[in-house]
Amino acid sequence: MKKIAMFLLGMLTLTGALYLAGLRISRTENRLYRQEDVGAGQAAKRLPEQVISKTNEKLREEQKDCYAFGKLTEEEKEVYLEIIEALTAFKENVKLSSCDKELISRVFQCVLNDHPEIFYVEGYSYTEYTLGSLLKKITFTGSYCFGPEEVRERQRQIDDYVNQCLAGMPEDADEYGKVKYIYEYLIHHTDYDAEAKNSQNICSVFLERRSVCQGYAKATQYLLNRAGVYATLVLGRVVGGEGHAWNLVRIDGEYYYVDTTWGDASYQAVGGGNYPIEKIPTINYDYLCVTTEQMEVTHTPENVVELPLCTAIDANFYVREGAYFTDWDEERIKKIFTDGYERGDTYVTLKCSGPAVYRKMQDALIEKQEIFRYLDCPDKAVSYVENEKQYSLSFWL
């Protein structure tokens, strides 16, 4: 017997059964992990079977820096290589070396998590060949939102964006500097828009300049990889249960989390008052190179492969910028505000190492109003934001 199934967003939906020459054919659909619901994709086609030869070592070698690939078993890696070869060549009805449908689904997501450049794939279909109750083989077909010619044209436009972006990166930037630069660049050049086109892939960011979380995260990964920084995609949920995507990066051998979407803070109100719009910050650095403990306050990973425990803080934004406090330090606080005024900053943020330090900072600066010792406030009014979950206090200058 033969069964055909399609995968779009993790949902298994039988769309009918057809009997032909003793073979039973049924179809199923499943899309990639998304933040927003989307319509069903195109139906699977019955095509002649194609066979990919045993994957070569060159293709395997090219995956050595891919995070998800490195977490797979040898059987899963072989399927991964078969899938990526099929997708990049737009092949259809390719025989896979495994008949485990759950394994295929998991590995397919690993391929897309590792390869943001495969922006033209939105799902896949598979065909089961059975003899009685015995499953003999499965063939694989990608679901493509763009054809090969359009992919080449879009890639040309993507290259233009990427080259322009990376041309502005300081030549002496270390790995942290590259991550910070790309984080800021994407936030300054992208608007969050739930209605953005192609919001689940890099085209939304690089071509449309507007996206949602998965577009932000895949664009961050793509740029960091191009800049020589190890990065992968992370899928999960945030407070309230909404699906979300962010990144895992490696800096100087240590892992950190980065959430460029949540770093885009231009939509936030300031202090709950009528503060001038030009004073509203565009970037929130609370999600630039953070630990697992910090991230899991608001984010819950549901990733397809195991993630490392991120404990290092050396490349955390506030640590690197000298705004991380393990205790009250009046002289350093004074310097931060003085430097902020000299640079023309619109606000400064003080990051605390934990709840005890945060409460001490909050009590001194807000409850006892010592903030007026550091701010130039002729009208004796202060606009600020308290972020108890991230142990940070932001003040507008």
Side-chain angles (χ1 to χ4, degrees):
M1 291 189 182
K2 173 176 157 185
K3 299 180 184 178
I4 297 178
M6 292 188 68
F7 273 82
L8 300 149
L9 188 62
M11 299 167 50
L12 194 63
T13 310
L14 290 177
T15 60
L18 172 65
Y19 293 87
L20 179 63
L23 299 179
R24 186 167 65 87
I25 302 173
S26 60
R27 300 178 186 275
T28 353
E29 296 195 346
N30 172 21
R31 272 195 191 273
L32 300 179
Y33 188 101
R34 303 174 60 92
Q35 184 182 13
E36 296 84 22
D37 292 336
V38 296
Q42 60 186 12
K45 299 177 181 179
R46 295 188 62 216
L47 297 170
E49 178 185 327
Q50 298 185 44
V51 177
I52 291 180
S53 58
K54 193 74 171 179
T55 49
N56 59 53
E57 288 306 310
K58 180 181 178 182
L59 183 59
R60 179 181 291 269
E61 180 68 15
E62 290 171 352
Q63 315 308 314
K64 67 178 182 179
D65 289 330
C66 294
Y67 182 83
F69 180 78
K71 295 294 182 180
L72 301 179
T73 65
E74 282 305 311
E75 178 188 8
E76 291 169 333
K77 286 180 178 179
E78 192 62 36
V79 175
Y80 180 110
L81 296 171
E82 292 163 351
I83 289 176
I84 194 171
E85 187 173 351
L87 294 179
T88 53
F90 289 85
K91 293 186 177 180
E92 300 178 311
N93 248 37
V94 172
K95 181 181 177 182
L96 298 180
S97 57
S98 175
C99 291
D100 185 334
K101 295 186 288 292
E102 290 186 6
L103 180 151
I104 293 168
S105 176
R106 177 170 179 264
V107 170
F108 174 78
Q109 187 65 63
C110 287
V111 171
L112 273 294
N113 283 11
D114 280 342
H115 294 278
E117 73 276 10
I118 306 180
F119 59 85
Y120 46 88
V121 173
E122 57 183 2
Y124 71 92
S125 66
Y126 66 85
T127 304
E128 296 179 68
Y129 294 80
T130 61
L131 181 60
S133 61
L134 182 63
L135 178 58
K136 300 293 291 184
K137 68 179 178 181
I138 286 180
T139 59
F140 172 94
T141 301
S143 298
Y144 305 100
C145 48
F146 309 116
E149 288 192 12
E150 187 171 1
V151 167
R152 284 191 288 271
E153 173 56 26
R154 285 176 176 266
Q155 186 63 57
R156 184 190 65 76
Q157 296 177 55
I158 289 168
D159 291 341
D160 288 343
Y161 180 105
V162 172
N163 291 337
Q164 181 176 345
C165 167
L166 298 183
M169 180 181 292
E171 292 184 3
D172 60 348
D174 58 7
E175 289 186 328
Y176 164 79
K178 292 177 180 179
V179 175
K180 179 174 178 286
Y181 172 84
I182 288 170
Y183 184 86
E184 293 174 335
Y185 188 96
L186 285 174
I187 290 171
H188 284 311
H189 292 82
T190 313
D191 292 325
Y192 186 92
D193 183 356
E195 303 300 321
K197 297 178 182 178
N198 302 304
S199 61
Q200 305 303 304
N201 64 59
I202 59 176
C203 291
S204 55
V205 174
F206 296 151
L207 276 59
E208 307 292 338
R209 309 296 197 268
R210 54 188 67 250
S211 191
V212 296
C213 61
Q214 188 147 277
Y216 274 83
K218 287 193 172 185
T220 301
Q221 178 188 8
Y222 188 94
L223 287 169
L224 287 174
N225 290 163
R226 284 288 301 271
V229 177
Y230 189 98
T232 192
L233 184 75
V234 178
L235 301 175
R237 299 192 177 276
V238 291
V239 174
E242 182 183 13
H244 194 58
W246 59 99
N247 296 103
L248 176 74
V249 304
R250 189 172 65 199
I251 300 174
D252 298 329
E254 299 285 354
Y255 283 107
Y256 301 85
Y257 285 118
V258 172
D259 189 341
T260 312
T261 311
W262 278 35
D264 193 340
S266 59
Y267 59 87
Q268 292 183 349
V270 180
N274 298 318
Y275 214 61
I277 192 168
E278 64 271 13
K279 292 287 188 178
I280 297 177
T282 57
I283 299 181
N284 176 1
Y285 290 101
D286 284 345
Y287 301 94
L288 178 55
C289 303
V290 301
T291 64
T292 297
E293 181 180 8
Q294 289 174 308
M295 205 64 173
E296 289 186 348
V297 172
T298 50
H299 295 54
T300 302
E302 295 177 351
N303 210 50
V304 67
V305 295
E306 182 183 3
L307 296 166
L309 181 65
C310 305
T311 58
I313 64 170
D314 289 349
N316 175 265
F317 170 79
Y318 296 109
V319 173
R320 287 293 294 260
E321 303 299 322
Y324 184 82
F325 291 84
T326 57
D327 203 349
W328 173 262
D329 187 333
E330 183 176 352
E331 288 302 312
R332 191 146 63 92
I333 291 174
K334 180 179 179 180
K335 184 178 187 308
I336 288 172
F337 280 94
T338 300
D339 291 347
Y341 277 116
E342 290 179 354
R343 289 192 302 265
D345 295 344
T346 57
Y347 73 105
V348 298
T349 298
L350 309 176
K351 177 80 170 182
C352 303
S353 58
V357 180
Y358 176 78
R359 285 192 293 270
K360 185 182 293 186
M361 193 82 73
Q362 187 183 47
D363 179 67
L365 296 177
I366 298 173
E367 299 301 326
K368 295 179 180 176
Q369 299 188 4
E370 292 185 22
I371 187 62
F372 290 108
R373 298 170 58 183
Y374 313 107
L375 286 178
D376 180 12
C377 300
D379 56 358
K380 299 300 180 183
V382 176
S383 291
Y384 64 94
V385 171
E386 300 172 279
N387 190 336
E388 189 171 358
K389 289 184 176 180
Q390 292 295 332
Y391 309 132
S392 65
L393 294 168
S394 297
F395 298 91
W396 276 257
L397 305 180

